Amino acid sequence: MSTYNPPTLLQLALDGVLRKDSIDFSDLEYLPITLFPPLFIKAFNSRHTEIVKKMVATWPFPCLPVGALLKTAGVEMLQAVLDGIDILLTQNVSLR
């Protein structure tokens, strides 16, 4: 007998955000801060480069630990993270 495990509300919310073709910086401003880490990991693993780039630029925490993620990622994901940092530098935001 198989059991059906329905997706959690968190999984549905993350899938809904990632299903959107383009996400704006203003959308990320209203995103609850608790959703940032799981959304970032899911976007990173799903290779949503534009969302990763925008999330790096609007990351609300003092540290963005991407070292473990970048060990398994390709060049395109590294480029997305660097593009997000570049957005911060062009906005003259002090890096934490």
Side-chain angles (χ1 to χ4, degrees):
M1 179 186 274
S2 65
T3 339
Y4 172 68
N5 293 328
T8 64
L9 187 57
L10 175 64
Q11 291 170 336
L12 291 173
L14 296 177
D15 290 341
V17 171
L18 292 177
R19 195 173 306 123
K20 204 173 172 185
D21 286 338
S22 66
I23 191 167
D24 294 330
F25 287 107
S26 60
D27 294 338
L28 291 173
E29 289 177 8
Y30 296 109
L31 189 69
I33 199 167
T34 55
L35 287 182
F36 263 85
L39 179 62
F40 182 78
I41 291 171
K42 190 162 179 103
F44 195 93
N45 290 335
S46 302
R47 302 201 179 281
H48 292 290
T49 55
E50 285 301 313
I51 294 176
V52 168
K53 178 173 37 173
K54 291 176 183 174
M55 287 193 75
V56 168
T58 59
W59 191 254
F61 302 107
C63 178
L64 177 63
V66 294
L69 292 173
L70 289 176
K71 288 181 182 176
T72 60
V75 176
E76 64 184 25
M77 295 313 294
L78 175 61
Q79 185 63 46
V81 171
L82 292 175
D83 287 345
I85 294 171
D86 190 44
I87 291 171
L88 286 174
L89 291 174
T90 57
Q91 293 174 347
N92 292 327
V93 175
S94 62
L95 295 177
R96 301 175 287 272

